């Protein structure tokens, strides 16, 4: 199998590495670094196609291509048609450009959304990391395609949707302990990418408000920083000093140690199609304080919705209550550690391997 990842870094890299490590199939990877995402969508197909040709020369026949979504799949298939022939091709959507929130001051640009649409059309199957993303994309497609001056593609939406399925990302959970109440002073964890769509402003203001109220806690603000000046997070560090026990990106071993110490994991994300970092924290035993939208109601099973999810505008109130009544909230979220195990790669890889075989059998030649 050929595994193509145009944006190899972060959660995309974890996905690639997990498949390669755990799958029973022989995996050949073609990747580009996780930079210049616009160029990956505009021009990545050309260089990925060249690397694909070189890979096939080395390894020989390919039975299936599993391609991540940060590329124009239609262009890549066109450029590799003589090398790959007509092999079954699966498009995996970690995210899409139809639903990605626009930064303040930026204008909506349909170029990359249309690129995603062409990729959907070109794939034999389309796998989404969550049903939340799948539903959001198909809700957004009609208004995008309705903008066409003529020859609208709207009539193709139903046919494309029939070729979709939800295949969550696998997560490495074996090194997480799943224990409760680990720190004498409650340790809050915010472990998301430092960008506008993860809403660091609300995280920072909530933490500072609770600190002003003299509530006892420490805080770890960790994740990939993609901004030149994460001013609101810097303000938290400056005002709280030693209470900020971690700040910035951590090596994997240090991050695992932090996960196993965290008492509470928080999010205020405006955009989340899956949430690997939240799954990791829950598997380590952290109490979730998460918004009741995005992918979170899908990740959190329904019996825990009341205890794990808050309505917009209630982050401060919920977090305050959790910190002041940690044992009570810990008992109400009992069982989530075990629920997260379904996302472990040791479990998820059986789904991937089975689907790989079924796609090959349906669209290509038998293994």
């Amino acid at each position: 199998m050929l595994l193509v990842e145009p944006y190899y870094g972060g959660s995309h890299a974890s996905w690639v590495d997990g498949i390669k490590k755990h799958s029973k199939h022989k995996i050949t990877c073609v990747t580009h670094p996780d930079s210049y995402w616009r160029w990956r969508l505009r021009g990545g197909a050309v260089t990925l196609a060249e690397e694909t040709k070189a890979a096939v020369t080395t390894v020989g026949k390919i039975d299936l291509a599993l391609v991540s979504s940060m590329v124009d799949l239609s262009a890549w298939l066109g450029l590799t048609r003589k090398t790959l022939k007509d092999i079954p091709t699966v498009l995996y959507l970690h995210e899409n450009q139809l639903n990605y929130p626009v930064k303040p001051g930026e204008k909506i640009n349909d170029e990359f959304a249309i690129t995603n649409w062409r990729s959907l059309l070109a794939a034999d199957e389309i796998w989404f990391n969550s049903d939340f993303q799948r539903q959001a994309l198909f809700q957004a497609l009609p208004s995008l395609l309705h903008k066409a001056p003529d020859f609208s593609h709207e009539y193709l939406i139903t046919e494309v949707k029939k070729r979709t399925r939800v295949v969550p990302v696998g997560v490495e959970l074996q090194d997480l302990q799943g224990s409760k109440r680990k720190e004498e002073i409650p340790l809050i964890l915010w472990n998301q990418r430092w960008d506008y769509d993860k809403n660091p402003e609300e995280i920072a203001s909530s933490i500072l408000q609770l600190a002003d109220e003299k509530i006892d806690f420490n805080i770890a603000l960790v994740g990939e920083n993609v901004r030149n000046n994460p001013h609101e997070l810097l303000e938290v560090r400056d005002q709280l000093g030693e209470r900020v026990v971690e700040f910035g990106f951590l090596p994997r071993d240090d991050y695992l140690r932090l996960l196993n110490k965290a008492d509470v994991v928080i999010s205020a994300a405006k955009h989340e199609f899956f949430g690997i970092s939240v799954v990791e924290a829950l598997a380590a035993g952290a109490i979730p304080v998460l918004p009741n939208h995005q992918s979170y109601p899908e990740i959190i099973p329904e019996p825990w919705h009341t205890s794990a999810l808050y309505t917009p505008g209630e982050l401060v109130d919920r977090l305050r209550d959790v910190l002041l009544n940690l044992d009570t909230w810990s008992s109400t979220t009992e069982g989530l550690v075990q629920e997260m195990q379904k996302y472990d790669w040791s479990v998820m890889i059986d789904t991937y391997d089975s689907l790989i075989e079924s796609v090959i059998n349906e669209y290509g030649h038998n293994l």
Side-chain angles (χ1 to χ4, degrees):
M1 186 186 85
L2 185 68
L3 182 53
V4 181
E5 177 50 73
Y7 206 75
Y8 182 78
S11 60
H12 290 226
S14 298
W15 176 73
V16 170
D17 295 345
I19 294 174
K20 189 171 183 180
K21 177 181 177 180
H22 295 281
S23 177
K24 67 182 180 182
H25 300 297
K26 181 180 179 181
I27 309 295
T28 299
C29 297
V30 173
T31 66
H32 279 358
D34 60 333
S35 53
Y36 311 113
W37 69 267
R38 294 175 179 83
W39 178 234
R40 295 291 178 267
L41 284 166
R42 286 175 175 141
V46 176
T47 44
L48 287 165
E50 291 301 310
E51 293 190 18
T52 297
K53 294 172 186 176
V56 172
T57 299
T58 301
V59 303
K61 185 181 68 173
I62 300 293
D63 295 300
L64 176 142
L66 176 57
V67 184
S68 185
S69 55
M70 198 70 77
V71 70
D72 184 343
L73 180 61
S74 61
W76 180 81
L77 284 171
L79 292 164
T80 59
R81 68 189 186 281
K82 293 181 180 179
T83 302
L84 296 178
K85 311 303 181 184
D86 189 24
I87 65 167
T89 302
V90 176
L91 177 69
Y92 192 90
L93 275 84
H94 294 273
E95 67 278 305
N96 70 82
Q97 299 304 312
L98 285 83
N99 302 120
Y100 207 86
V102 178
K103 289 182 180 180
E106 285 191 356
K107 295 181 179 180
I108 296 176
N109 185 340
D110 291 334
E111 172 192 357
F112 301 119
I114 290 294
T115 299
N116 283 164
W117 171 239
R118 289 198 301 269
S119 294
L120 295 171
L121 289 167
D124 292 307
E125 281 202 5
I126 304 118
W127 296 355
F128 290 83
N129 58 358
S130 68
D131 191 54
F132 170 74
Q133 185 192 177
R134 177 166 66 174
Q135 296 299 332
L137 183 142
F138 281 99
Q139 287 170 10
L141 270 173
S143 60
L144 171 72
L145 300 179
H146 190 68
K147 297 177 183 179
D150 63 3
F151 296 105
S152 172
H153 304 164
E154 288 181 76
Y155 70 98
L156 292 169
I157 293 175
T158 299
E159 184 273 329
V160 169
K161 192 171 185 179
K162 292 177 182 177
R163 294 187 274 114
T164 68
R165 69 175 78 236
V166 175
V167 185
V169 178
V171 187
E172 298 285 1
L173 301 177
Q174 297 303 308
D175 294 323
L176 301 176
Q177 297 171 0
S179 59
K180 295 285 187 178
R181 193 61 195 269
K182 307 133 187 175
E183 299 292 297
E184 182 177 348
I185 299 175
L187 175 57
I188 303 169
L189 172 64
W190 183 65
N191 57 339
Q192 298 184 332
R193 187 181 68 254
W194 293 14
D195 207 352
Y196 72 102
D197 62 310
K198 304 305 180 186
N199 201 7
E201 296 87 355
E202 185 172 359
I203 295 294
S205 64
S206 300
I207 292 300
L208 291 176
Q209 179 176 331
L210 294 176
D212 288 342
E213 295 176 12
K214 310 301 182 185
I215 294 177
D216 207 13
F217 64 86
N218 290 325
I219 178 75
L221 301 169
V222 299
E224 180 187 6
N225 178 25
V226 298
R227 299 159 61 200
N228 293 326
N229 180 27
H231 59 88
E232 63 284 299
L233 302 178
L234 292 170
E235 183 181 358
V236 173
R237 185 183 65 177
D238 293 343
Q239 290 197 28
L240 299 191
E242 293 182 354
R243 296 176 67 179
V244 181
V245 297
E246 295 289 355
F247 190 83
F249 183 81
L250 293 180
R252 180 67 180 175
D253 288 345
D254 294 340
Y255 176 60
L256 289 173
R257 281 192 287 272
L258 176 62
L259 284 169
N260 284 322
K261 294 197 304 181
D263 293 294
V264 182
V265 62
I266 61 174
S267 173
K270 301 175 182 177
H271 170 260
E272 185 67 85
F273 281 145
F274 184 72
I276 288 178
S277 63
V278 166
V279 170
E280 291 171 330
L282 296 183
I287 299 168
V289 179
L290 311 171
N292 64 355
H293 52 79
Q294 305 304 306
S295 61
Y296 298 126
E298 186 175 344
I299 290 175
I300 304 292
E302 196 277 334
W304 287 271
H305 280 190
T306 300
S307 55
L309 308 176
Y310 65 87
T311 56
E314 294 185 358
L315 171 57
V316 171
D317 292 339
R318 171 61 66 88
L319 184 54
R320 180 192 299 112
D321 198 9
V322 169
L323 293 172
L324 295 176
N325 303 280
L326 206 62
D327 290 337
T328 299
W329 283 97
S330 179
S331 66
T332 64
T333 55
E334 193 74 40
L336 281 176
V337 170
Q338 292 73 26
E339 286 291 332
M340 293 303 106
Q341 299 309 309
K342 64 188 176 186
Y343 296 116
D344 187 77
W345 268 120
S346 64
V347 177
M348 281 303 307
I349 198 59
D350 291 340
T351 298
Y352 276 80
D353 281 346
S354 176
L355 287 174
I356 287 167
E357 293 177 12
S358 69
V359 171
I360 291 172
N361 290 333
E362 181 171 356
Y363 296 99
H365 49 273
N366 292 334
L367 284 170

